[in-house]
Amino acid sequence: MWKNVGLRWFSSKSSNFSFVTTPIFYVNAAPHIGHLYSAVITDAIHRFNNLVHPAAQASSIFSTGTDEHGTKIQQAATSHSVPVDTYCQQISDRYRSLFRNFNISHTRYIRTTDADHTQAVQCFWNALERSGSIYSAQYSGWYCIPDETFLTDSQLKENNLGVKVSAESGHPVEWTEEKNFMFRLEKYQDDVLYWIKGCEDRIVPIKFRKILLDFLQDKLPDISISRPKSRVSWGIDVPSDPTQTVYVWLDALVNYLTVSGYPQEGFSHRWPPTVQVLGKDILKFHGIYWPAFLIAAGLEPPRQLLVHSHWTVDGEKMSKSKGNVVDPNERASLYTHEGIRYFLLREGVAHSDGNYSDTKIMRIINAELADTFGNLLSRCCGKVLNPEAVVPVVQQDEFNTLSQMDVTKKMLELLNELPEKCMTHYRQYNFYLVVDSVIQVLHATNNFFESTAPWKLKKPEEKQQLQAILGVTMEVLRQAGIILQPIVPIMSGKLLDKLSVERNRRLWTDLTLQLAEVERPLADTDAVLFRRIIPPKVEVVKEPKAKKLKKKN
């Protein structure tokens, strides 16, 4: 039985191995900031895992890609007057370009039109058939094309025009009668419940675990997992019946298996995924259907699902009709790619919708990246305080003297606590708390810098004191740079390069107090980490002055 087999597989897996996934993104439209959010979350998890377990980096997996089959894709291609395969290629390339621009470090970019994916889907289908989980039936019901799913009466409502729509998405439905293959979902309901309850953090945040448990209180209906080829030709053929194509969601979910190497020998060494990142709108597919499919095929479900909420724009839901869909590449021309990454991970929280605002992103970037972080490095490396352009030696007696100051004690206390605090926050996917903790230390360091006033130390006999202040400040910057690598990899790399930190000395194990005992030259690169964002100039039109009326005598 799966419960015993799964536990055996789970216990034999290396705890250092990491397999993280984004959902694959549907190519019916261009990518927006919500898609990027899934990708930067997963990228930060992957980079953190490699920071903590560098030896496992070569074997760790991070997958993303595009979902390219189904009715919506056929319709989108037709509306653009291009062949469907050309349309898929064009949109998929836009996602690939987006992820490249934002330094998403995936190890596999998968498309559901890839040849190895077709093989995986058909092998998986055969495994479901062998388990007795599939049967053929004449099916009739309300079908929602935009959501690619059949809906029960309880999942419908009438909109203000009297049209039946999905109660969840608001998309219209149409009555459909056709022959389908069905999956015996109820047969695996108890197993799915066991999987969810078997680990407290199986589904995080906890609010989404509760949603799934509420959903499982009612008997699960069997679900249609194929479509007539006469209606949905753009899809993968059902192996045993070429007149049917595989339901787009079953096809899409198998992508994670394809990435692991399924069905080739040895894929089980890379299965199951460590954590799968997904938006709350596809929770049911990943939290109910996906584990049920896997259990039916004799495979272990994922160890964890990380579910995130959506992004609004200036407090409103993103939509084409409102014209407020945020294009990440367009915004990056204003705020840079690293600035957008930082904002999403700084402001986003998984349990609640985030709010994108140009005013907010500008304020955060200027206050934290430019003024707090970047300015501190610039002052340490500038010719006024550091004419020799070095990471200076810190003499122990000077360090001891500095350590007696209250402002230094506070800074060093926060620095000492920083690695453990940030480790906890990363493991709980609270990226905003990682940033909070780093910024708190940097604020304390700026306070230390102002209080010690190194610009006043101009006498030869004060040189060692000046060097100690610069050296301690640079040490805080070094540790901050290491910790922030998963969040802003390019900016952190630039900082560590400037401080001449060796590439193999940028790991989590290097987060100990390391004051320079031997002087080393700063790299000959720009010390400006982040330039302030200048708000667009708004021309103010002055109202003409009102003429004064002469008083009548």
Side-chain angles (χ1 to χ4, degrees):
M1 194 172 179
W2 168 78
K3 295 168 184 175
N4 294 328
V5 174
L7 289 174
R8 187 183 72 241
W9 284 343
F10 187 92
S11 62
S12 65
K13 204 75 63 182
S14 167
S15 61
N16 293 346
F17 173 78
S18 170
F19 180 5
V20 296
T21 71
T22 72
I24 52 174
F25 304 104
Y26 212 36
V27 296
N28 63 318
H32 58 63
I33 204 160
H35 303 124
L36 179 63
Y37 185 49
S38 291
V40 294
I41 288 174
T42 315
D43 186 60
I45 294 170
H46 180 63
R47 288 178 182 275
F48 171 72
N49 289 337
N50 291 336
L51 197 60
V52 176
H53 303 296
Q57 183 171 350
S59 60
S60 291
I61 300 171
F62 167 17
S63 70
T64 190
T66 45
D67 179 5
E68 303 180 21
H69 290 136
T71 310
K72 280 194 292 186
I73 307 306
Q74 292 177 196
Q75 293 176 342
T78 300
S79 69
H80 286 80
S81 302
V82 295
V84 66
D85 56 343
T86 302
Y87 172 80
C88 289
Q89 180 74 57
Q90 290 172 347
I91 302 298
S92 186
D93 284 349
R94 292 183 69 172
Y95 277 95
R96 197 188 294 268
S97 175
L98 176 75
F99 297 154
R100 182 170 56 249
N101 290 342
F102 282 88
N103 296 292
I104 305 301
S105 58
H106 53 78
T107 60
R108 169 75 189 265
Y109 183 92
I110 184 171
R111 300 176 61 192
T112 53
T113 48
D114 290 344
D116 62 342
H117 179 68
T118 298
Q119 179 190 13
V121 169
Q122 293 185 327
C123 286
F124 190 75
W125 181 281
N126 291 336
L128 294 179
E129 278 196 328
R130 288 193 298 270
S131 71
S133 304
I134 295 177
Y135 64 95
S136 178
Q138 193 70 25
Y139 190 85
S140 61
W142 293 103
Y143 188 71
C144 181
I145 290 178
D147 298 338
E148 299 276 14
T149 187
F150 282 99
L151 299 170
T152 62
D153 287 338
S154 64
Q155 295 172 303
L156 300 174
K157 68 176 183 180
E158 285 192 1
N159 64 16
N160 54 7
L161 299 175
V163 176
K164 283 187 181 294
V165 297
S166 164
E168 183 177 353
S169 69
H171 294 143
V173 297
E174 57 186 40
W175 185 259
T176 303
E177 296 184 13
E178 60 190 25
K179 179 185 175 184
N180 290 160
F181 284 101
M182 306 293 294
F183 177 77
R184 303 182 193 277
L185 186 60
E186 185 194 3
K187 179 180 177 181
Y188 300 99
Q189 184 161 350
D190 287 344
D191 281 317
V192 172
L193 194 60
Y194 176 88
W195 170 70
I196 294 172
K197 290 185 172 181
C199 181
E200 283 190 4
D201 62 352
R202 181 79 72 207
I203 316 292
V204 292
I206 194 170
K207 67 179 286 185
F208 297 112
R209 181 179 189 266
K210 291 176 180 176
I211 289 172
L212 285 180
L213 292 177
D214 288 344
F215 193 87
L216 287 163
Q217 287 182 351
D218 299 324
K219 176 183 173 182
L220 295 177
D222 291 351
I223 57 172
S224 168
I225 57 170
S226 74
R227 302 289 182 263
K229 196 168 186 178
S230 58
R231 183 166 70 84
V232 187
S233 60
W234 184 246
I236 296 173
D237 289 349
V238 170
S240 56
D241 185 350
T243 68
Q244 296 273 316
T245 54
V246 177
Y247 172 43
V248 65
W249 261 108
L250 174 56
D251 166 4
L253 288 165
V254 174
N255 93 85
Y256 308 121
L257 276 166
T258 306
V259 170
S260 76
Y262 177 89
Q264 304 303 321
E265 187 177 352
F267 87 92
S268 60
H269 296 302
R270 297 177 291 277
W271 190 262
T274 313
V275 57
Q276 299 204 253
V277 177
L278 57 132
K280 64 181 181 180
D281 56 319
I282 53 176
L283 174 60
K284 179 177 67 175
F285 296 99
H286 284 79
I288 303 291
Y289 297 170
W290 181 221
F293 291 153
L294 288 166
I295 293 165
L299 298 171
E300 187 181 355
R303 295 187 191 175
Q304 187 179 57
L305 302 183
L306 170 59
V307 188
H308 66 76
S309 299
H310 294 162
W311 282 86
T312 59
V313 179
D314 294 322
E316 293 189 332
K317 184 178 179 180
M318 272 195 295
S319 72
K320 290 181 182 177
S321 61
K322 292 179 180 177
N324 66 347
V325 176
V326 177
D327 178 350
N329 281 320
E330 184 268 330
R331 284 304 197 278
S333 66
L334 299 172
Y335 310 122
T336 76
H337 297 95
E338 290 284 277
I340 299 287
R341 275 186 70 115
Y342 183 83
F343 173 77
L344 291 176
L345 294 171
R346 175 76 170 102
E347 283 294 296
V349 291
H351 56 77
S352 302
D353 287 349
N355 183 48
Y356 179 90
S357 159
D358 284 314
T359 301
K360 186 188 292 184
I361 188 171
M362 191 181 303
R363 175 175 52 79
I364 287 174
I365 287 175
N366 284 341
E368 297 182 357
L369 294 187
D371 296 346
T372 299
F373 206 164
N375 190 48
L376 192 59
L377 178 69
S378 296
R379 294 174 80 178
C380 288
C381 300
K383 291 182 179 180
V384 173
L385 296 181
N386 195 349
E388 296 170 343
V390 296
V391 178
V393 172
V394 178
Q395 300 294 337
Q396 188 63 48
D397 57 341
E398 292 291 348
F399 177 71
N400 292 341
T401 301
L402 279 177
S403 300
Q404 300 306 309
M405 299 173 60
D406 288 341
V407 70
T408 313
K409 288 178 183 178
K410 179 63 176 176
M411 176 188 67
L412 293 176
E413 180 184 340
L414 290 172
L415 183 64
N416 184 54
E417 295 170 350
L418 191 62
E420 185 176 350
K421 284 170 65 176
C422 290
M423 171 76 79
T424 300
H425 297 325
Y426 268 125
R427 292 204 182 282
Q428 295 176 350
Y429 314 122
N430 290 324
F431 306 108
Y432 73 101
L433 290 178
V434 174
V435 175
D436 271 349
S437 300
V438 171
I439 293 298
Q440 185 183 17
V441 174
L442 291 175
H443 281 158
T445 308
N446 271 295
N447 192 23
F448 159 81
F449 205 80
E450 290 293 325
S451 299
T452 53
W455 53 88
K456 294 182 180 179
L457 304 175
K458 299 177 180 179
K459 299 175 183 178
E461 61 269 24
E462 295 174 324
K463 183 176 181 180
Q464 289 187 356
Q465 184 182 351
L466 171 62
Q467 289 178 326
I469 294 169
L470 294 179
V472 170
T473 303
M474 288 181 177
E475 171 57 14
V476 175
L477 288 166
R478 182 189 70 86
Q479 292 199 37
I482 290 174
I483 289 170
L484 289 181
Q485 286 177 105
I487 293 172
V488 277
I490 300 299
M491 181 180 139
S492 296
K494 184 178 177 181
L495 164 67
L496 297 170
D497 285 346
K498 184 64 183 177
L499 297 178
S500 297
V501 179
E502 296 175 8
R503 293 298 174 116
N504 62 348
R505 300 297 302 274
R506 302 180 182 188
L507 304 175
W508 203 266
T509 51
D510 296 308
L511 291 173
T512 57
L513 191 65
Q514 298 178 19
L515 299 174
E517 297 179 354
V518 177
E519 184 178 277
R520 65 177 188 269
L522 294 170
D524 186 19
T525 58
D526 187 1
V528 179
L529 279 181
F530 218 99
R531 300 185 187 280
R532 285 185 61 85
I533 306 298
I534 307 299
K537 290 184 178 180
V538 178
E539 187 176 347
V540 178
V541 179
K542 293 183 178 181
E543 294 287 339
K545 290 183 179 180
K547 292 181 179 179
K548 291 183 179 180
L549 296 176
K550 293 182 179 179
K551 290 183 180 181
K552 292 182 179 179
N553 293 328

